[in-house]
Amino acid sequence: MKTNIQFQQVQYWSLLGIKPMHRALLRRTVEQVSIPLMDAAASPFELTWCVFEATTNETRLECFERPGVLIIDRDTLTKQIGDHEAVDLNPNLYCERSNRQIRLLWDWCKRGKEDLMWCTELSFCGVIYDVESMNRWVRVCLKRGKVIQSQNNLLLRDLQLPKISLRSSVLV
């Protein structure tokens, strides 16, 4: 367990519906690309992975609201868009452009390159469809993805101290 109470720089990577084999490929690529980039960076940061396989309304909201990088599988996205309940819950969830999050569509097949126009209409930044596109997007995400400050100590991360207000009471 981390015992340091200092804040650390963190970049969140959320993976929604990505198959285990593709998750391993993506993580290995990120590790290979991040080593030279972190050495050259003025302020290094740590990557935090959030993997979601089952999709609920809470999962969708958490994924699309979290700063950093979101990579969603094409089949998962098309199922969610077809889910009218999810669209009715928050119709701007998929189409809202965010300056806090880089959204990428994972479409690992020959037609994936053709989905660029479709996914940009949903305010996604691009498509990962082969090894070359994955390498390019990993570099972009590591350089331009939102980095936030997070509490390093897991026990103190969610701790909220009560606010104390001083009131002067006057007795009459």
Side-chain angles (χ1 to χ4, degrees), residues 11-28:
Q11 186 179 68
Y12 289 103
W13 286 58
S14 300
L15 307 178
L16 183 58
I18 307 294
K19 295 178 179 119
M21 180 184 75
H22 291 152
R23 287 195 304 249
L25 178 66
L26 181 64
R27 285 184 188 210
R28 189 181 73 207

Side-chain angles (χ1 to χ4, degrees), residues 26-37:
L26 181 64
R27 285 184 188 210
R28 189 181 73 207
T29 303
V30 168
E31 288 172 4
Q32 290 173 349
V33 170
S34 67
I35 292 171
L37 289 177

